[in-house]
Each structure stands twice: as structure tokens, then as C-alpha cells.
């Protein structure tokens, strides 16, 4: 497990990159709005059916995504230099992109 200072630095970087990608994708009008509330990121869908919540969990050094009635717990992967989902190896941004595509039924959504 990485130390807390390292976790804060790498999670802040990863979440800021994801935030910028979500803002850019939101402008393309794919059916969601992005909100950042004191480090808790919310993706709210226009149809009001649900939302995704993305948040760092500092005590256990993970980034959590709550989406589609599932909790995805990403851990720091030194080899990849990224937070990844242990089960699939997906990094934070590609996983978020896949979840958005699945939820909205739109394979054209991309997170730059």
C-alpha cells in the first residue's frame, strides 16, 4: 500500500485529469452533467434516473466509483502508474468511459 502523501498526490492528479475529460465530454452533449463537490465527483444523468459518484478513499488508498448499483474499487498500480480495477486491469479513465457508454447506450462517448 502506498503512503498517504503519495496517495493524495497521485489520486489528486488522476481525479483532476478525469475531471477535465468529463468537462470536455459533457460539452459534447452526451446526456450527463458533471459536478465536483469538495472532491466528490458526481455524474448526473439528464433523464434523472441515476448518477455516478467518484471519490477518493484515503484510509484504504483507493478511488471508488459507485455506478450502476455496483461499487468499483480502484487501487494504485505501480507498474501501470495509474489507479486500476484489480479484476479487469482497467484504469480510471477507460473504466469511467466504459461505464458511461454502457449506461447511456452510446459507444461514441470518449474521455480525452
Amino acid at each position: 500500500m502506498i503512503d498517504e502523501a503519495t496517495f493524495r498526490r497521485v489520486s489528486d492528479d488522476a481525479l483532476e485529469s478525469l475531471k477535465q475529460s468529463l468537462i470536455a465530454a459533457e460539452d459534447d452533449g452526451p446526456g450527463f452533467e458533471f459536478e465536483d463537490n469538495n472532491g466528490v465527483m458526481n455524474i448526473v444523468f439528464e433523464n434523472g434516473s441515476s448518477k455516478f459518484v467518484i471519490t477518493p478513499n484515503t484510509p484504504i488508498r483507493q478511488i471508488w466509483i459507485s455506478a450502476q448499483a455496483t461499487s468499483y474499487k480502484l487501487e494504485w498500480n505501480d507498474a501501470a502508474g495509474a489507479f486500476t480495477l484489480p479484476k479487469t486491469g482497467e484504469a480510471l479513465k477507460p473504466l469511467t468511459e466504459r461505464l458511461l457508454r454502457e449506461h447511456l447506450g452510446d459507444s461514441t462517448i470518449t474521455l480525452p
Side-chain angles (χ1 to χ4, degrees):
M1 181 184 294
I2 61 176
D3 63 78
E4 184 175 339
T6 301
F7 173 79
R8 288 185 186 278
R9 181 177 45 79
V10 295
S11 66
D12 285 350
D13 291 348
L15 292 170
E16 181 62 28
S17 176
L18 178 60
K19 175 182 174 177
Q20 295 307 316
S21 293
L22 287 166
I23 290 169
E26 175 186 34
D27 291 341
D28 292 338
F32 69 85
E33 292 183 15
F34 171 76
E35 301 170 350
D36 184 2
N37 298 315
N38 298 320
V40 176
M41 299 166 55
N42 294 294
I43 301 169
V44 181
F45 296 96
E46 290 178 358
N47 62 10
S49 65
S50 60
K51 71 178 179 178
F52 293 177
V53 179
I54 304 168
T55 184
N57 188 321
T58 303
I60 57 175
R61 314 292 195 269
Q62 295 178 334
I63 292 177
W64 288 5
I65 301 175
S66 177
Q68 301 171 331
T70 303
S71 181
Y72 300 87
K73 298 175 181 180
L74 291 84
E75 299 177 356
W76 180 252
N77 181 324
D78 277 326
F83 283 92
T84 60
L85 185 62
K87 182 177 175 180
T88 64
E90 290 172 285
L92 178 62
K93 199 179 294 186
L95 173 60
T96 305
E97 181 179 273
R98 176 176 65 84
L99 294 172
L100 286 168
R101 287 176 173 184
E102 289 174 0
H103 186 77
L104 293 169
D106 183 350
S107 63
T108 65
I109 294 171
T110 56
L111 296 180

